[in-house]
Amino acid sequence: MDLSRRQLLKGSLISASALALPQLTMALGSGAKYDYHITAEPGLFDIVPGGTTPGLGFNSQFPAPVIRCRQGQEVAIKFTNKLDEPTTIHWHGLRIPIEMDGVPFLSQPPIQPGESFIYRFTPPDAGTFWYHPHMNSLVQLGKGLTGVIIVEETEALPFDADVVIGLKDWRLNQDGSFLPLSIPRNAARGGTLGNVKTINGMIKPVIEVPAGGAIRARFANMDNSRTYGLSFKDYPAVVLAEDGNAIEAPYPLVKRKTGSGMRLDVGFIAPSNVGDEVIVYDQKGRRGYYEICRFRCIEGSKKPATKIPKLPVNPIKAPDLSKAKKINLVFEWAGALSPTKKDGSVDHVFWTINKRAWEGMMGGKIPAPIATLELGKSYIINLHNATPHHHPIHLHGHTFTVIKSNKRPITPYHTDTILLAKNERAQIAFVADNPGRWMFHCHVVEHFKTGLMGYITVA
């Protein structure tokens, strides 16, 4: 369906059991200089049965409003900070100007309580992306400040349903109050996992889809730590896009590991009988299938679909591998080493990039980049995960091509986040065509908060 920004924005065709994602209306009025207006503010969420969670939400809601815009068309989003601390919004996966990237001090001053900022950009790529703060990330993301932004293709595609599936864990007591969001012992390993898994803010929801319809399911992992093994088990489905980038040759979905910050667009034809269901699993190992949600067929208004529409590939510049300069980045584990500050408190540092831990930044104090790239040149970056844990490594402002790995066969594909297995060596390549200072970090929040973050300069 071709959705205008002047219409109510709906994340998907959802079950009748109150699963509808929040709606977002265009900020109308003569002389309006923005298309949407969103806020960050405290809210009360119904996550666990019988309990209330005092979280943080965009428009004080969870799930957050799904923002929809269109490839090649400018969008402006007025953001107002109603928290009691500074914040920003990062538009994860979007190739936009550095001034709009939402990293405090590196790309913009922090947005203070009560202040507003207008994010204005023209997305060159269609796909599934997401948005979140880049300040006090452990708390602000952990308590609910995450949302999906969808960039529609220039031409509407003939899917019968377009479903947003936001994956997020919560660390909650039975009454809905928060448990500690981070445990240092876990931060030094795979990350502190949540104890309540949700899809669009609900536990094992049922999502209605038209019987026999061609379905586009947009999975977005907005969790602080967890990696999902997304699987439909025995039901036929294909991967249409990885991390917002359409695949030239869609392939069958068996199990796809999806780390924090990563997205997966899956296409399937729903069963033709009303009441039939398709279950989505988080697969662990070969035989461990754990349901996270299910699709239930309702009466459709069209004839059963015979094929799944193919997505157009985004306009990503191909790097010149024969002339590309090579850069080596080694991600290492500092283990239990915890330097002590002058006041005796522990300064947890567990991770490094090229033997250097991220030391943080503030106005007037920006650390040196981990690499400086020449604008317009091609680069190959050799990534070495010399740790015993997985890391979803994310680059801001660019889309790269994964070309090689020592752990798995690679058919080159475009992405902004690569999930590196323990001891994996992988090669990525891209054209440094977006000037600015761009964060390059693990998207397990505890990992980048304890060292596994840096930035590259493109100039």
Side-chain angles (χ1 to χ4, degrees):
M1 181 167 57
D2 188 4
L3 291 176
S4 165
R5 290 180 298 190
R6 293 181 180 270
Q7 295 174 305
L8 294 178
L9 295 181
K10 298 183 179 180
S12 56
L13 176 65
I14 300 292
S15 76
S17 57
L19 266 177
L21 293 175
Q23 301 173 354
L24 187 63
T25 54
M26 183 174 181
L28 299 175
S30 60
K33 297 183 182 300
Y34 49 89
D35 297 311
Y36 302 115
H37 187 190
I38 59 175
T39 64
E41 54 187 299
L44 296 176
F45 309 146
D46 296 325
I47 304 295
V48 294
T52 301
T53 296
L56 304 175
F58 288 110
N59 290 9
S60 74
Q61 304 166 16
F62 194 90
V66 174
I67 297 174
R68 289 183 182 262
C69 51
R70 191 168 296 282
Q71 184 179 19
Q73 295 184 12
E74 184 181 77
V75 62
I77 303 163
K78 182 179 180 180
F79 169 65
T80 300
N81 179 11
K82 294 187 177 182
L83 304 176
D84 59 4
E85 62 181 11
T87 192
T88 60
I89 298 183
H90 168 58
W91 309 94
H92 183 115
L94 291 177
R95 297 188 296 142
I96 55 180
I98 185 63
E99 296 82 8
M100 300 292 112
D101 193 51
V103 176
F105 307 114
L106 202 64
S107 63
Q108 71 172 106
I111 302 167
Q112 300 297 327
E115 291 184 348
S116 297
F117 182 85
I118 297 177
Y119 290 96
R120 186 186 303 275
F121 49 82
T122 301
D125 306 316
T128 305
F129 306 95
W130 66 298
Y131 61 101
H132 61 83
H134 232 289
M135 291 198 72
N136 193 13
S137 300
L138 183 68
V139 172
Q140 292 189 12
L141 274 72
K143 289 191 173 183
L145 279 172
T146 65
V148 172
I149 177 169
I150 290 174
V151 182
E152 304 280 6
E153 288 78 11
T154 55
E155 301 292 336
L157 300 175
F159 287 98
D160 298 300
D162 187 335
V163 186
V164 174
I165 303 169
L167 304 109
K168 178 168 171 50
D169 280 10
W170 303 78
R171 288 188 48 77
L172 302 175
N173 293 299
Q174 289 184 350
D175 63 359
S177 61
F178 281 98
L179 291 164
L181 297 176
S182 177
I183 299 171
R185 177 182 178 87
N186 295 333
R189 291 167 173 78
T192 304
L193 298 179
N195 62 333
V196 180
K197 291 183 183 180
T198 65
I199 298 295
N200 298 342
M202 300 191 72
I203 300 169
K204 294 184 181 179
V206 176
I207 301 171
E208 292 181 347
V209 295
I215 313 301
R216 181 178 186 172
R218 301 175 185 259
F219 293 88
N221 184 352
M222 301 181 288
D223 192 57
N224 278 19
S225 305
R226 186 177 295 277
T227 294
Y228 290 83
L230 294 177
S231 172
F232 281 36
K233 200 175 182 181
D234 299 323
Y235 196 85
V238 296
V239 175
L240 299 174
E242 296 181 322
D243 301 317
N245 286 276
I247 296 172
E248 205 156 327
Y251 60 88
L253 173 66
V254 179
K255 172 188 175 183
R256 203 269 198 167
K257 288 187 176 180
T258 305
S260 300
M262 299 174 72
R263 293 87 63 213
L264 191 71
D265 285 30
V266 175
F268 66 98
I269 296 177
S272 57
N273 296 322
V274 172
D276 283 357
E277 296 180 333
V278 177
I279 301 176
V280 182
Y281 298 94
D282 177 15
Q283 183 183 349
K284 303 299 183 185
R286 292 185 178 181
R287 297 183 176 86
Y289 291 92
Y290 302 92
E291 178 181 343
I292 57 175
C293 67
R294 61 178 60 198
F295 299 102
R296 179 176 296 158
C297 293
I298 62 172
E299 189 69 43
S301 60
K302 298 173 63 177
K303 293 181 179 179
T306 57
K307 65 178 181 179
I308 300 168
K310 185 179 177 181
L311 309 183
V313 176
N314 284 325
I316 309 299
K317 288 184 181 178
D320 185 344
L321 300 182
S322 66
K323 297 180 180 179
K325 181 179 178 180
K326 292 185 178 179
I327 297 172
N328 298 318
L329 295 180
V330 181
F331 308 103
E332 291 185 286
W333 183 50
L337 297 177
S338 298
T340 303
K341 297 180 182 179
K342 290 182 180 180
D343 63 2
S345 62
V346 176
D347 181 17
H348 291 299
V349 176
F350 303 127
W351 312 95
T352 63
I353 301 177
N354 287 359
K355 301 187 182 299
R356 172 182 155 199
W358 177 248
E359 58 265 42
M361 59 186 172
M362 61 184 67
K365 183 183 177 183
I366 306 296
I370 55 177
T372 299
L373 283 55
E374 185 177 348
L375 183 64
K377 299 293 185 180
S378 296
Y379 290 87
I380 293 174
I381 301 185
N382 296 309
L383 305 175
H384 179 198
N385 178 13
T387 85
H389 302 281
H390 284 70
H391 299 287
I393 302 297
H394 172 54
L395 173 61
H396 289 210
H398 292 77
T399 294
F400 55 81
T401 304
V402 180
I403 57 178
K404 187 183 295 185
S405 169
N406 69 331
K407 289 284 189 177
R408 52 198 166 109
I410 295 292
T411 298
Y413 64 95
H414 300 313
T415 184
D416 55 71
T417 308
I418 178 173
L419 183 62
L420 290 178
K422 62 180 182 179
N423 300 319
E424 182 175 4
R425 295 174 183 265
Q427 277 191 343
I428 65 173
F430 63 98
V431 178
D433 58 358
N434 198 357
R437 297 181 296 191
W438 301 103
M439 298 307 301
F440 201 176
H441 62 93
C442 176
H443 222 285
V444 173
V445 174
E446 290 164 291
H447 289 178
F448 77 68
K449 296 289 285 185
T450 56
L452 205 57
M453 183 159 70
Y455 72 92
I456 64 171
T457 295
V458 177

